[in-house]
Amino acid sequence: MRIGTRGPTVAVLAYEGMSAFETGIVTEVFGLPRPELGVTWYDLRVCAPYPVRIVGGGVLHPAHGLDGFVAADTVIVPGVADVHRDPDPDVVAALRTAHDRGARVVSICSGAFALAAAGLLDGRRATTHWQYADLLRRRHPRVEVDPDVLYVDDGDVLTGAGSAAGLDLCVHIVRTDFGAGVANAVARRLVVQPHRDGGQAQFIEAPVTGDLSDDRIARSMDWALEHLTDSLTVERLARQARMSQRTYLRHFARCTGTSPVRWVLAQRIQASLPLLENSDASIEQIAKTVGFDTAVTYRHHFTRAMRTSPSAYRRAFRARGTK
């Protein structure tokens, strides 16, 4: 993305009866100034046609109405007031207008119902909170509902699952706009992983770190990140943690929710992204740099996690960067 003196505009919809959590996620990622990142950051707008009451008794008085929502580069619907009722017709019309003028349209959680009502999900793969997936499928049969992922990126339309998955989706948008380095920096400031494993295809498959109160596991993970090019067997990792292999596997799964092998693969793929984005190194060189034995192995695991090849990822990322 070409960055000028004004950052890309992001508009998030506020609505009556909403929880502030989803809007807070959007505000945290896109609204806080981040001069240390060296890019012109987003210009965030909170939008609503009128003051809205939120859960807990507060009242929001957004500075922008639906006109400001429609005019943004990216528009985000963090939910709908009632999944069993039709969304506000004015919001539906605003979504159609924004999409027609080329905006990127995003939903979090039940916000997918608003996008579906606007016809923006017809013939597309989309997701929502698992609790609402069957209802979305019944009400909008032309939508290919996938309840097993954290988010779906379909280019100009993106949908996220439950509330917390909105954070994964927002970080993914930052990665799309500014690259892996900036997205990883934002994720670190939020104290989250840049990617989480949502069960099926995400931008990358990398499990969320759970309880790392066990310093032995954390120490072995830190060591592994410093030795990605080494042969990282369970035996070697267990030795770093001063555990038996059986004990290490059990503690690692408890702390991270995954196995050491899957975690190492995810870290190697993640480490390869900036190289694909910012260097002219060959796929073979990148594979070796991040610790894969062969380019064939690297391509296999990359494609399985990313649902695209390393070369296609590089082309797509660089094409986005010229916009």
Side-chain angles (χ1 to χ4, degrees):
M1 174 174 289
R2 185 178 298 149
I3 304 300
T5 57
R6 179 187 66 80
T9 52
V10 175
V12 57
L13 180 72
Y15 59 92
E16 190 77 7
M18 69 182 294
S19 163
F21 181 65
E22 290 92 341
T23 301
I25 288 171
V26 176
T27 302
E28 182 75 19
V29 174
F30 301 112
L32 293 182
R34 302 186 185 275
E36 71 279 6
L37 298 180
V39 296
T40 305
W41 203 240
Y42 299 92
D43 176 12
L44 178 68
R45 306 168 181 174
V46 179
C47 304
Y50 40 71
V52 295
R53 291 172 295 180
I54 63 174
V55 172
V59 179
L60 288 179
H61 296 267
H64 302 276
L66 290 182
D67 288 346
F69 184 76
V70 167
D73 300 318
T74 298
V75 299
I76 302 178
V77 183
V80 295
D82 186 345
V83 296
H84 299 286
R85 300 175 58 184
D86 292 334
D88 185 330
D90 290 338
V91 170
V92 170
L95 285 168
R96 289 172 178 158
T97 301
H99 183 258
D100 287 346
R101 55 164 291 276
R104 177 171 51 192
V105 182
V106 180
S107 69
I108 299 172
C109 197
S110 64
F113 285 83
L115 272 60
L120 303 184
L121 301 183
D122 288 353
R124 294 180 185 256
R125 178 170 163 265
T127 194
T128 186
H129 192 289
W130 60 265
Q131 188 176 7
Y132 305 137
D134 287 342
L135 178 62
L136 181 63
R137 190 179 290 112
R138 291 196 304 271
R139 293 190 61 186
H140 301 280
R142 296 184 64 186
V143 180
E144 183 185 343
V145 180
D146 186 345
D148 297 326
V149 295
L150 292 176
Y151 58 82
V152 173
D153 181 345
D154 199 24
D156 58 341
V157 177
L158 299 88
T159 52
S163 300
L167 188 55
D168 299 276
L169 178 53
C170 289
V171 172
H172 169 71
I173 290 171
V174 173
R175 177 180 293 278
T176 299
D177 291 346
F178 293 107
V182 171
N184 292 348
V186 171
R188 284 194 298 272
R189 284 157 178 75
L190 294 169
V191 198
V192 298
Q193 287 281 356
H195 308 278
R196 283 198 296 154
D197 181 3
Q200 289 188 24
Q202 311 279 303
F203 199 58
I204 184 172
E205 192 173 48
V208 64
T209 299
D211 176 16
L212 282 182
S213 58
D214 191 328
D215 289 340
R216 296 170 298 175
I217 298 297
R219 184 170 59 246
S220 73
M221 294 169 75
D222 289 341
W223 178 85
L225 291 175
E226 294 174 359
H227 297 82
L228 279 179
T229 58
D230 293 358
S231 175
L232 296 178
T233 63
V234 173
E235 179 184 5
R236 294 193 70 188
L237 292 169
R239 190 183 310 133
Q240 290 297 319
R242 296 183 173 87
M243 295 178 179
S244 70
Q245 293 185 50
R246 183 175 181 180
T247 301
Y248 182 78
L249 286 169
R250 184 174 69 253
H251 281 255
F252 194 96
R254 177 180 59 80
C255 289
T256 68
T258 190
S259 70
V261 171
R262 288 188 66 195
W263 181 83
V264 167
L265 285 173
Q267 302 312 307
R268 285 173 169 162
I269 292 170
Q270 182 178 326
S272 76
L273 298 183
L275 299 175
L276 291 169
E277 295 170 10
N278 302 316
S279 80
D280 294 320
S282 68
I283 301 302
E284 290 72 16
Q285 291 171 322
I286 292 174
K288 184 177 181 180
T289 298
V290 298
F292 286 97
D293 291 335
T294 68
V296 172
T297 303
Y298 171 54
R299 288 189 178 97
H300 169 75
H301 289 294
F302 189 99
T303 302
R304 186 174 182 182
M306 305 284 286
R307 298 303 172 98
T308 188
S309 68
S311 297
Y313 175 90
R314 170 177 270 171
R315 288 194 300 270
F317 183 87
R318 294 187 175 183
R320 286 197 300 266
T322 62
K323 292 180 181 179

